Structures are given as C-alpha cells and as structure tokens.
Amino acid sequence: MQIHPMWADYPTLAPELVATLDLIETKIAPDSVPVKEALLQMINAGGKLLRPAYCLLFSQFKETDREKMIALAAAVETLHTATLVHDDIIDRAATRRNQKTVAAQFGPDVAVYAGDYLFVVCFKLLAQYASSLRSVQKDGTSMERILNGELAQMATRYNYDITIDQYLHQVSGKTGQLFALSCFIGAYEGGNSLAFAKRAETIGLNIGIAFQLRDDILDYTSDATSFGKPVHEDIKQGVYSAPLILAMNDDRAAFRPLLSKKQTMQPEDMRQIATLMSAHDGVAKAQAMAQTYTDKALAGLAKLPAGAAKDTLVQLTQQLLNRQN
C-alpha cells in the first residue's frame, strides 16, 4: 500500500499510516462488486491521510495500544472519505485527486451506496476499538456539525450577500470538525485527560479552518493539475469562499452581474472576476485570515508537553498550512 510522498519526511509516522490504509482495505467487503471497486479506487487515489495522521500523533503523548489507535485512525479516514464521496455526488464533480470521482465513473447510485458503506465501516471500527462511549458520542456530534456545515453552504448558494461569518460557520462544520474529531479521539483514546483532549479538539478546529482557507486560496492561485481538482468550479456552483467574499465586501455591485450568470459563466467572465478580486485584494485578505487561524493552531501546539509528538505536530502543521498545492 502506497501513501502520499509527503510522509517520507515522517519515518516514524509513515508505517502507521500504511497500516491504517491496509486495515481500511480489509474492512471493505460489500456484497456489491461495483461498490467494492469504487471504494478501493477512492481509498487508493492518493489522499494525504491528514486526519488519521493527527489522530495518531495526538495519541503519542502517552504509551498506548498502537493497534487500537491505527483502527481509530482508520475510522476517522473512512468517515472523511464517505463525506467526499457524497460531496462529489451533490457537486456533480467529475474529478478528485486527478482521477474520476466515484459518481462520475460508476454513477450516483453506486456512489451513494459506497459512501453509506463507509459510514458502516467507521462505526464498526469505533464500536470495536473505542474504549469509551464518549468517543462514539463525539463522532456522532461531529457528523451532525459536518452535516449542518454542508446544509449551511447549500442554503447560501448563489447568495451574493454572503458574509465572512457565514463562510466561517460553514467551514467550521464541513472541514474543521473532522480535524477537531481526529485530534480529540487521538488524544482521548490515547489515554490523556478529557481536558487535554478538548485542548486537542480546539487545536484541530483551528487547523481545519486554516486548511480550508488555504484550500480556497489555492482554488484561485493553482491550476487544476497541481491542485488535483477543477479550479474556479465552486463559483459556477454558487459556492463563494473567503477570497471572493472578502473582495466582494468592497464592491458587491461590480461582482453581481458576473456571478448572476451562474453555470453559464464563460472563461472571460472568470477572467473579469479574477481582475476584480485582484483589485480588491481578495486573495491577500484571505491569506491574512488563514495566517490568523494558523497562528492560533501553532499557539495551541506550543503549549503541549515537550517531546517527539509535539515536534512532529508542529512540523506537520507548519508544512500543511503553508502548502502551495
């Protein structure tokens, strides 16, 4: 099982991430051959495994059962993958990670069942390995917040008056919660106190928000090949992210005629939006906001007990939140 090349810089973590993927693969055994093929393709599509990585790292502050923590990291990753499969159906996305999405390749019916099956795998792993009902409850609460984040995003599609606070509410749910959950479960199931786990959860939430801000910035500064998915597609779908929202705050009337074309927008419309965003410093303002959440995350990490786990968490977070793709 191959993992993303970035983990070559983390030789103590990489074997556990490989074991995480291996375990997920053994757990994928639906009766439907197309669903199994779709899931295995998604799992092996080269995702970065960031959420299981944070789960594993936060579990290293205490001596703990590594088999158990690998299984819980696998639960986190299957939950994440399930949300991606379902997101791609809703967005009618054709590609992810430079490959066809499950929905595009196998159809929306297979994709729905594939995503549902991953939820089953997630909860079976939690039921088998979580030492406390609190972790299962936390997972359920996180799923609710993720869904509410997605619903909030759906409710603001093509809303030209969307505020940055509404955007932050959305990303806190749909992205921040998975990072927060990963850090909480790693810390709590790793044998740390509930107070420590809640600190880890807050750090994870800030990491997740900063990560999504960086992702949205890259949507305006990357090409589709390096980014791994079509750029600017969110605008046509009516999903407005921080760089656009912050630019629109200066002059919404200038953007409205272009955005009102919705899915009929042409390349020239996109170029005009890019020009307006540059004039109003949309990307620069979003970068400043991403830096604020990055600083919050790093400040939280700085207060953790000294040792290899803390050092690796700081290194990974700095690399992740300053990435260019």
Side-chain angles (χ1 to χ4, degrees):
M1 183 72 68
Q2 289 200 340
I3 56 176
H4 195 278
M6 68 175 284
W7 299 115
D9 296 332
Y10 302 87
T12 60
L13 181 60
E16 291 196 343
L17 290 174
V18 171
T20 299
L21 274 186
D22 286 341
L23 178 60
I24 293 173
E25 188 162 340
T26 66
K27 296 296 182 182
I28 294 176
D31 292 337
S32 167
V33 173
V35 169
K36 183 174 182 178
E37 288 179 355
L39 288 174
L40 291 177
Q41 178 176 297
M42 184 76 174
I43 294 298
N44 291 297
K48 291 188 174 72
L49 301 176
L50 297 170
R51 294 144 191 89
Y54 275 99
C55 180
L56 291 165
L57 287 171
F58 267 103
S59 73
Q60 292 178 5
F61 287 93
K62 299 271 189 181
E63 289 289 332
T64 191
D65 181 352
R66 301 316 298 167
E67 178 184 350
K68 165 188 163 180
M69 296 315 305
I70 287 167
L72 293 174
V76 167
E77 182 61 13
T78 53
L79 174 58
H80 172 230
T81 307
T83 64
L84 296 182
V85 172
H86 284 167
D87 282 353
D88 289 339
I89 299 168
I90 294 168
D91 295 339
R92 296 180 178 84
T95 60
R96 181 180 290 277
R97 299 168 182 166
N98 292 321
Q99 296 188 22
K100 281 188 177 181
T101 61
V102 175
Q105 186 164 351
F106 297 95
D109 293 349
V110 169
V112 168
Y113 292 130
D116 289 348
Y117 186 84
L118 287 174
F119 286 128
V120 173
V121 172
C122 171
F123 277 102
K124 286 178 74 173
L125 286 167
L126 281 172
Q128 182 176 353
Y129 288 96
S131 62
S132 168
L133 184 60
R134 186 182 296 277
S135 295
V136 180
Q137 291 170 331
K138 180 64 70 174
D139 188 88
T141 300
S142 294
M143 286 185 65
E144 181 182 18
R145 289 173 179 169
I146 292 165
L147 175 59
N148 282 332
E150 294 289 357
L151 289 172
Q153 178 176 289
M154 185 171 69
T156 56
R157 287 198 177 209
Y158 299 113
N159 179 359
Y160 312 128
D161 297 317
I162 184 174
T163 67
I164 197 65
D165 286 341
Q166 287 176 304
Y167 164 85
L168 289 171
H169 171 68
Q170 293 168 17
V171 302
S172 294
K174 69 173 195 169
T175 306
Q177 278 303 312
L178 266 172
F179 279 95
L181 175 67
S182 303
C183 297
F184 178 91
I185 287 182
Y188 188 70
E189 291 290 341
N192 295 279
S193 68
L194 179 59
F196 182 91
K198 287 184 175 179
R199 286 169 57 199
E201 182 179 18
T202 300
I203 292 168
L205 181 63
N206 286 323
I207 290 171
I209 294 172
F211 177 84
Q212 186 61 55
L213 279 160
R214 176 63 59 185
D215 218 41
D216 291 336
I217 291 165
L218 289 170
D219 192 33
Y220 291 94
T221 59
S222 296
D223 61 81
T225 301
S226 64
F227 195 31
K229 62 182 181 180
V231 296
H232 305 321
E233 199 60 34
D234 280 354
I235 295 182
K236 285 188 176 182
Q237 298 291 337
V239 178
Y240 306 145
S241 60
L244 178 60
I245 296 168
L246 292 169
M248 286 198 298
N249 281 345
D250 288 347
D251 187 3
R252 290 184 185 268
F255 287 87
R256 195 177 296 248
L258 297 165
L259 296 176
S260 65
K261 296 182 181 182
K262 301 182 178 179
Q263 294 189 28
T264 65
M265 292 177 69
Q266 300 300 312
E268 177 57 30
D269 299 316
M270 292 294 188
R271 283 191 285 272
Q272 289 185 46
I273 287 176
T275 299
L276 283 168
M277 287 183 61
S278 178
H280 295 290
D281 298 320
V283 168
K285 291 173 182 175
Q287 286 172 332
M289 181 171 284
Q291 190 61 51
T292 296
Y293 283 96
T294 299
D295 291 345
K296 287 182 180 180
L298 292 173
L301 291 172
K303 296 175 183 177
L304 297 177
K310 174 183 176 178
D311 293 343
T312 305
L313 280 165
V314 171
Q315 178 187 349
L316 175 60
T317 302
Q318 288 176 331
Q319 177 184 353
L320 173 65
L321 300 185
N322 292 293
R323 72 196 192 283
Q324 299 303 313
N325 56 56

